[in-house]
Amino acid sequence: MKKKYTKRHRQEMMKFRKISIRIFAVMMLVGGVTGMLFFFRPDRSNVEMRELTKFPKLTLSSVLDGSFFSELSLWYSDTYPMRDVLIAADQKLKTAYGVTSSTMMVGGHKQGDEIPVNVAQNDQESETEQDGQSEQSDEPVQTQDTLADQTQGETETVSAPNSREMEEEIQNQIQQGLYVKNGAAYSVYYFSQSAADTYTQALNHAAKELEGQADVYSILVPNNSGAMLPEDELNGLGGSDQVQAISYYYSLYDGVRPVTTIETLREHNDEYLYFRTDHHWTQLGAYYVYQNFCQEKGIEPHQLSDFSTMTFSPFLGTFYTSLKNGDMAANPDTVEAYVPMGTNDMVFWDTDGTEYQWKVINDVSTWGENSGYYCYIGGDKPLSIIENPQITDGSSCLVLKESYGNCFVPFLVDHYETVYVIDFRYANVNVVDYVKENNIQDLIIMNNITIIASDKVAATIAGLLS
């Protein structure tokens, strides 16, 4: 039977519809006006921990081929005013959909490749075979004309490519499988044979090109699950064995000097080596690997007591940003930073080529709760240079890294007159040529094992080392 509405009911329904239409119209108007606030757009997202898209350069060629308009559209959507507020509100709304467990698995349905038997256990002939594979077959990356040239006494900026795709790829690698337990998240690692081949061959090529001029060091850092979780728990997560994987990478090297990492970190895993709410390690974890680097290089490491410290709390990192886990919010991390003794001054060039005078350890106590890890070397930049006036022997090193290298670099400052830092995600340079032109003695290639398990990441690094 069809329901009949009284005149009063119909009037109330019409009134409700009119109010709804007006509310919708106001929201659309506010959204439109907000979108037109071109001079109040953010250039960085603290929630997503990344640089936002830059306003594209207007050129005749970019207008004719249409690339300017597509890049303009991307900039407009990526830098919407109040972006972080809206993202945070959306994440909080999602948590209201249901009760989350304190122990859970997020993603983690990927299957890693089988890790081959460690070829280092074979005879010398297997190492010789790797020498024939060390030549890069990828097309060489374009060297930027703006490469900093220290040999001429001039420092110019390093241009940065569009790195948005690489940032997204790395975030997918980090969070493709997360094990959440007691207010901490752990990344699951999945070995990739093709990525391992590309990465190790690239490092071998660099070592061969720099033979007699510079030593090439490889530091492969495990993620927190491989270093911190017990074996039985790790086996239940379905990922790849990081001890075996790192050993396999190192066994393929020819002329590259590997630095011990995971074994030492496991020996100290009752200490605060990794953040609970963020995918990075702490600077204490980096310190133990720094000691191993000094042993491999044949120099004396400094003691932690030699450094002054700065502390930043609370810190809620990338895992919390993604999960909005209540246990994490109730027990945030603390960032402890060790200030170099010789100098705390540095210079870096941002992605738009702007030069900044900065601090190796910068005070971020007034920044947001997501910003603690930015205290190290200004974050992720195309090129950074640290000059230590207390050392005048001409010594230098170059660290090719992603963000795991940020808290490691400060420990190198008191061992070299000049420390160069290049982040492979932002600087499109030929690193081998850069080392030669600037008479750099040590090339330190430092990456997290999960991040380089991506074919795109491995290929990008290979291009820089071609």
Side-chain angles (χ1 to χ4, degrees):
M1 182 177 179
K2 187 176 180 180
K3 185 176 180 180
K4 294 183 178 180
Y5 293 98
T6 64
K7 182 178 180 180
R8 186 172 66 85
H9 284 156
R10 287 195 295 270
Q11 289 175 340
E12 289 178 351
M13 291 173 62
M14 289 299 295
K15 183 179 180 180
F16 176 77
R17 289 173 180 172
K18 289 180 180 179
I19 293 174
S20 299
I21 292 172
R22 289 171 182 170
I23 292 175
F24 178 76
V26 170
M27 292 176 63
M28 292 295 292
L29 178 62
V30 171
V33 172
T34 302
M36 295 176 64
L37 298 176
F38 292 99
F39 300 103
F40 296 94
R41 288 178 171 268
D43 56 10
R44 179 168 191 85
S45 171
N46 287 328
V47 169
E48 298 176 277
M49 309 289 279
R50 67 176 179 88
E51 299 284 345
L52 299 179
T53 303
K54 302 293 184 182
F55 189 87
K57 292 182 179 180
L58 179 61
T59 63
L60 179 60
S61 61
S62 66
V63 171
L64 293 177
D65 64 17
S67 61
F68 173 79
F69 301 102
S70 60
E71 292 174 5
L72 180 65
S73 176
L74 178 60
W75 166 82
Y76 182 85
S77 62
D78 199 38
T79 61
Y80 197 84
M82 300 189 298
R83 176 188 179 88
D84 279 4
V85 174
L86 295 173
I87 291 177
D90 176 68
Q91 291 169 331
K92 288 182 179 180
L93 183 62
K94 289 179 180 178
T95 61
Y97 293 162
V99 179
T100 58
S101 171
S102 60
T103 302
M104 59 182 176
M105 192 73 193
V106 181
H109 301 297
K110 182 178 176 179
Q111 180 67 43
D113 295 339
E114 183 177 352
I115 303 174
V117 176
N118 189 337
V119 300
Q121 297 173 356
N122 298 332
D123 57 24
Q124 187 66 30
E125 292 181 2
S126 61
E127 293 184 8
T128 304
E129 292 174 1
Q130 291 301 319
D131 184 59
Q133 301 174 0
S134 63
E135 294 292 338
Q136 257 316 311
S137 59
D138 293 340
E139 294 182 4
V141 71
Q142 179 183 359
T143 302
Q144 298 293 318
D145 293 334
T146 53
L147 182 66
D149 187 359
Q150 291 298 310
T151 60
Q152 301 299 322
E154 298 178 358
T155 301
E156 299 181 21
T157 59
V158 172
S159 300
N162 188 334
S163 55
R164 180 180 176 85
E165 182 178 342
M166 182 58 58
E167 290 174 342
E168 292 177 350
E169 175 69 14
I170 288 178
Q171 285 302 313
N172 290 337
Q173 283 293 112
I174 293 168
Q175 305 202 34
Q176 63 184 337
L178 294 181
Y179 173 55
V180 183
K181 170 188 173 184
N182 298 331
Y186 301 87
S187 293
V188 181
Y189 167 66
Y190 303 98
F191 173 76
S192 167
Q193 182 67 63
S194 58
D197 290 342
T198 301
Y199 187 84
T200 55
Q201 289 171 18
L203 268 64
N204 288 345
H205 172 77
K208 184 176 181 180
E209 288 293 310
L210 295 171
E211 185 177 4
Q213 177 172 341
D215 290 325
V216 177
Y217 296 87
S218 173
I219 303 177
L220 287 183
V221 185
N223 63 35
N224 55 356
S225 65
M228 304 299 285
L229 293 178
E231 287 288 349
D232 56 345
E233 204 164 4
L234 271 174
N235 294 335
L237 300 182
S240 304
D241 189 306
Q242 294 182 59
V243 173
Q244 293 180 14
I246 293 175
S247 178
Y248 176 70
Y249 271 83
Y250 284 2
S251 72
L252 296 179
Y253 289 150
D254 181 14
V256 180
R257 302 178 66 172
V259 175
T260 301
T261 58
I262 190 168
E263 294 84 0
T264 299
L265 292 171
R266 283 190 167 190
E267 291 173 1
H268 293 272
N269 65 6
D270 58 339
E271 302 174 44
Y272 193 26
L273 305 184
Y274 288 79
F275 297 112
R276 296 180 298 275
T277 71
D278 189 78
H279 69 279
H280 294 106
W281 57 351
T282 67
Q283 200 174 14
L284 177 61
Y287 175 76
Y288 289 122
V289 173
Y290 151 76
Q291 287 184 313
N292 290 342
F293 168 76
C294 290
Q295 182 178 7
E296 177 65 28
K297 181 172 171 58
I299 59 177
E300 188 69 24
H302 296 289
Q303 300 301 311
L304 282 177
S305 58
D306 296 336
F307 301 94
S308 60
T309 60
M310 299 176 70
T311 303
F312 309 102
S313 183
F315 171 52
L316 294 171
T318 52
F319 290 149
Y320 175 77
T321 298
S322 174
L323 302 172
K324 283 291 186 280
N325 182 279
D327 292 337
M328 292 181 183
N331 188 25
D333 282 300
T334 297
V335 177
E336 186 167 22
Y338 296 90
V339 183
M341 295 169 283
T343 183
N344 195 35
D345 296 325
M346 62 174 287
V347 60
F348 71 77
W349 288 263
D350 213 338
T351 52
D352 60 2
T354 304
E355 178 181 336
Y356 292 89
Q357 300 295 323
W358 208 252
K359 298 295 181 183
V360 178
I361 303 297
N362 192 53
D363 186 353
V364 296
S365 57
T366 60
W367 297 21
E369 62 184 10
N370 306 108
S371 304
Y373 198 75
Y374 290 127
C375 71
Y376 304 113
I377 65 171
D380 305 317
K381 307 300 177 185
L383 173 67
S384 306
I385 299 178
I386 307 168
E387 299 277 1
N388 188 342
Q390 304 299 319
I391 302 176
T392 58
D393 59 4
S395 57
S396 60
C397 71
L398 187 154
V399 181
L400 180 64
K401 58 84 186 176
E402 26 77 8
S403 56
Y404 258 76
N406 294 2
C407 65
F408 182 84
V409 168
F411 292 126
L412 302 176
V413 174
D414 293 303
H415 294 284
Y416 295 93
E417 181 176 342
T418 308
V419 177
Y420 302 86
V421 185
I422 290 179
D423 194 305
F424 70 79
R425 297 167 293 180
Y426 304 102
N428 192 10
V429 301
N430 188 305
V431 172
V432 172
D433 288 346
Y434 190 85
V435 169
K436 292 178 179 178
E437 293 167 5
N438 291 282
N439 296 316
I440 296 171
Q441 293 92 47
D442 293 331
L443 171 59
I444 304 167
I445 303 171
M446 182 175 198
N447 291 291
N448 174 263
I449 188 70
T450 295
I451 293 174
I452 62 166
S454 158
D455 285 315
K456 288 183 179 179
V457 170
T460 298
I461 295 172
L464 298 184
L465 296 174
S466 62

